[in-house]
C-alpha cells in the first residue's frame, strides 16, 4: 500500500495537490476537514460540536478525528492506499494512525511537507475565503489562530516522521504543475 501524509499549514495547497495525486496513484483521499464539514452540512451532533471549534480556528479533540479516520479505513479495506490530508495534526493523532495501520499490516510510506511562508498563507486563505464559503477562511483573526495552532500543535508532528526516516519536504510556492511534479518525484523514489 502507498499511504501518504500530505503535510503543511492551512493554505499550503494540500487539497489541490491531493486531488491530483489520487488520480495519478489511485488512492483514497481522507481529509478530516472535509469529513468534519460534511458532518456540519448533515447537521449531526458531532458536526455541531466541531463547528464551534472550527469557527474559532482551534483543533477539534483527537478522539473525534481518530474515530472518523478509523471508520474510513475500515470502509475502504481494498484500496491501493490513502492520502491523509489535514491529519494527523497532533503527535497523539500520529501515534493513533500508526496503531490503526498496524492492525491492517500496513504503515505510513512517507510524510511530504509543502513549505509556504506565513504571509503567502494568509494571502491565499483570504483569497480562498471569497468563494469557499468557509467561515474560518473569511476572518483574518481566525486565520492567524489556525496558523498558530499549526505552529504549536501540528508542526511537531514532522519530528515524529523524521525519527522514522519518513519525512520529505518540497517548496509549496510556484505553479501547481511544478509542485505536483516535485511531489511525484519524491513518491516515485519511495
Ligand atoms: P482543514 O480543512 O484541514 O483546514 O480543517 C478545518 C478545521 O477543521 C481545522 O481548523 C480544525 O478546527 C478542524 N480539523 C480538521 N482536521 C483536524 C484534525 N486532524 N485534528 C483536529 N482538528 C481538525
Amino acid at each position: 500500500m502507498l499511504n501518504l501524509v500530505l503535510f503543511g499549514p492551512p493554505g499550503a495547497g494540500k487539497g489541490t495537490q491531493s486531488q491530483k495525486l489520487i488520480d495519478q496513484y489511485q488512492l483514497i483521499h481522507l481529509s478530516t476537514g472535509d469529513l468534519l464539514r460534511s458532518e456540519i452540512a448533515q447537521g449531526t451532533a458531532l458536526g455541531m460540536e466541531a463547528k464551534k471549534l472550527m469557527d474559532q480556528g482551534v483543533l477539534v479533540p483527537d478522539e473525534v478525528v481518530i474515530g472518523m479516520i478509523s471508520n474510513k479505513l475500515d470502509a475502504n479495506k481494498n484500496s491501493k492506499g490513502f492520502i491523509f490530508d489535514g491529519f494527523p495534526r497532533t503527535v497523539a493523532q500520529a501515534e493513533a494512525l500508526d496503531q490503526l495501520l498496524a492492525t491492517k499490516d500496513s504503515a505510513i510510506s512517507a510524510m511530504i511537507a509543502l513549505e509556504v511562508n506565513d504571509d503567502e498563507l494568509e494571502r491565499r486563505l483570504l483569497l480562498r475565503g471569497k468563494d469557499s464559503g468557509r467561515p474560518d477562511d473569511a476572518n483574518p483573526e481566525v486565520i492567524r489562530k489556525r496558523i498558530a495552532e499549526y505552529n504549536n500543535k501540528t508542526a511537531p508532528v514532522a519530528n515524529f516522521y523524521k525519527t522514522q526516516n519518513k519525512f520529505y519536504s518540497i517548496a509549496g510556492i510556484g505553479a501547481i504543475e511544478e509542485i505536483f511534479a516535485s511531489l511525484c518525484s519524491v513518491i516515485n523514489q519511495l
Side-chain angles (χ1 to χ4, degrees):
M1 275 176 105
L2 178 62
N3 294 315
L4 303 171
V5 176
L6 208 48
F7 193 66
K14 301 186 295 292
T16 304
Q17 295 296 335
S18 292
Q19 287 306 325
K20 298 178 72 64
L21 290 169
I22 56 175
D23 289 345
Q24 179 85 12
Y25 297 98
Q26 285 97 50
L27 304 172
I28 305 273
H29 181 206
L30 293 185
S31 154
T32 40
D34 286 352
L35 293 172
L36 288 166
R37 280 184 290 277
S38 140
E39 295 280 340
I40 294 172
Q42 292 168 46
T44 65
L46 187 157
M48 294 303 100
E49 278 306 305
K51 181 171 166 49
K52 291 182 205 153
L53 300 167
M54 291 165 76
D55 285 352
Q56 296 168 45
V58 298
L59 296 185
V60 306
D62 287 335
E63 47 290 5
V64 172
V65 287
I66 292 166
M68 290 192 318
I69 289 287
S70 173
N71 291 340
K72 288 287 171 188
L73 293 179
D74 287 343
N76 292 283
K77 285 209 168 76
N78 298 321
S79 99
K80 287 190 174 178
F82 296 90
I83 295 186
F84 298 94
D85 163 4
F87 179 90
R89 254 175 160 104
T90 62
V91 172
Q93 291 177 23
E95 286 166 350
L97 180 59
D98 269 4
Q99 283 167 16
L100 286 174
L101 290 172
T103 65
K104 298 173 192 319
D105 291 325
S106 193
I108 289 298
S109 315
M111 163 183 267
I112 311 179
L114 297 171
E115 304 286 350
V116 179
N117 62 59
D118 283 2
D119 286 348
E120 172 68 9
L121 293 176
E122 203 171 320
R123 192 189 69 79
R124 286 188 192 178
L125 288 171
L126 282 169
L127 203 67
R128 184 171 88 184
K130 289 188 180 148
D131 49 30
S132 74
R134 279 179 55 172
D136 60 346
D137 281 346
N139 178 335
E141 212 176 300
V142 174
I143 289 177
R144 279 193 284 275
K145 180 69 192 169
R146 287 162 62 200
I147 295 173
E149 284 278 270
Y150 174 83
N151 289 329
N152 293 331
K153 297 178 185 164
T154 306
V157 178
N159 281 328
F160 181 87
Y161 291 99
K162 278 179 191 163
T163 58
Q164 297 187 11
N165 289 321
K166 290 179 179 174
F167 180 84
Y168 302 83
S169 153
I170 64 162
I173 296 192
I176 289 174
E177 288 304 332
E178 268 169 31
I179 299 168
F180 181 60
S182 308
L183 277 171
C184 292
S185 73
V186 170
I187 295 166
N188 294 339
Q189 284 169 42
L190 291 175

